[in-house]
Amino acid sequence: GENVEQHPSTLSVQEGDSAVIKCTYSDSASNYFPWYKQELGKRPQLIIDIRSNVGEKKDQRIAVTLNKTAKHFSLHITETQPEDTAVYFCAARFQGYSTLTFGKGTMLLVSP
Amino acid sequence: DTAVSQTPKYLVTQMGNDKSIKCEQNLGHDTMYWYKQDSKKFLKIMFSYNNKELIINETVPNRFSPKSPDKAHLNLHINSLELGDSAVYFCASSQAASFVLAAQETQYFGPGTRLLVL
């Protein structure tokens, strides 16, 4: 089955810095890669996603890049703000299946 | 914000008891899921249902039995609760199981049910 590795497990940055979270996946047939943000005590919420026919996608301060050859994808957050503090999960979906395999999460702490 | 709802929000119970968690979505989605999030925050899929039919059953003890009375509801019944069942259980839904449009793939999560087994 699909396996998703996520790094780092924790990331501390100063407000205004950039943050990068990286994920690798095992199954080359995976074709959908969402990123979820989970604030403390809240539900995971989709912040951005990318499909395998696209190399990069951007939405304001967040962007995701995908390298299909290397089977890795990354989340980039620029101009971080304290409200970006949360756990971020990457996920991958194996083609033909509906379920997502999640990475183990990255705790991002943005200090004012 | 009530697109996917779960009850109860908190559940504290003794080992050996049987309990149920209910989930409802009003998004008109065809596919619903149950996830377990353990103390280390790891999110793991348990079950997936499409139009009331079970399509995915990950390696979950048979003490866990999902039931989908209609495509808007997916309930989770747990028999003989164990200490290791303590976790947050999230229900989620997506528009379809077979994805033609990217928008159909987004999974929307419920608020979670925090289960503590004593």
Side-chain angles (χ1 to χ4, degrees), chain A residues 35-47 86-89 102, chain B residues 1-6 9 23-27 35 37 41 43 88-93 107-114:
Chain A
W35 285 88
Y36 282 81
K37 175 184 180 182
Q38 186 179 25
E39 296 177 5
L40 186 63
K42 301 284 183 66
R43 73 189 79 191
Q45 291 194 293
L46 180 75
I47 54 171
V87 178
Y88 291 81
F89 293 95
F102 282 84
Chain B
D1 200 40
T2 57
V4 183
S5 58
Q6 292 178 231
K9 191 170 181 180
C23 178
E24 176 181 1
Q25 54 94 5
N26 62 8
L27 297 167
Y35 287 89
Q37 186 172 45
K41 302 294 186 185
L43 264 173
V88 181
Y89 292 83
F90 286 101
C91 175
S93 72
Q107 291 191 16
Y108 296 87
F109 282 78
T113 295
R114 286 145 187 83

Side-chain angles (χ1 to χ4, degrees), chain B residues 44-86:
Chain B
K44 186 167 171 55
I45 184 72
M46 299 174 70
F47 302 100
S48 174
Y49 268 71
N50 183 58
N51 266 322
K52 303 191 299 176
E53 299 288 330
L54 177 67
I55 55 174
I56 295 286
N57 179 355
E58 293 295 322
T59 307
V60 177
N62 57 14
R63 298 182 294 105
F64 292 78
S65 52
K67 281 191 173 52
S68 183
D70 54 64
K71 74 174 193 177
H73 295 84
L74 180 62
N75 304 323
L76 183 65
H77 188 75
I78 315 170
N79 288 327
S80 303
L81 278 155
E82 301 178 357
L83 294 177
D85 298 332
S86 295

Side-chain angles (χ1 to χ4, degrees), chain A:
Chain A
E2 178 67 274
N3 185 45
V4 177
E5 298 286 335
Q6 183 172 348
H7 299 280
S9 55
T10 58
L11 180 58
S12 292
V13 300
Q14 292 290 317
E15 183 176 2
D17 289 349
S18 294
V20 180
I21 303 170
K22 299 182 179 182
C23 289
T24 59
Y25 59 98
S26 60
D27 198 318
S28 57
S30 294
N31 64 355
Y32 174 63
F33 308 92
W35 285 88
Y36 282 81
K37 175 184 180 182
Q38 186 179 25
E39 296 177 5
L40 186 63
K42 301 284 183 66
R43 73 189 79 191
Q45 291 194 293
L46 180 75
I47 54 171
I48 195 166
D49 56 10
I50 193 167
R51 299 196 88 181
S52 57
N53 58 349
V54 176
E56 183 174 358
K57 186 176 176 181
K58 191 173 181 180
D59 182 5
Q60 299 183 344
R61 295 187 298 109
I62 59 173
V64 57
T65 58
L66 172 65
N67 183 327
K68 284 191 299 182
T69 304
K71 292 189 286 186
H72 68 68
F73 56 113
S74 300
L75 178 71
H76 304 253
I77 307 174
T78 58
E79 300 172 30
T80 54
Q81 300 166 4
E83 50 264 40
D84 294 329
T85 293
V87 178
Y88 291 81
F89 293 95
C90 64
R93 183 178 71 86
F94 176 65
Q95 187 175 20
Y97 286 83
S98 62
T99 56
L100 297 173
T101 299
F102 282 84
K104 292 191 174 181
T106 296
M107 174 67 226
L108 173 65
L109 177 62
V110 182
S111 303

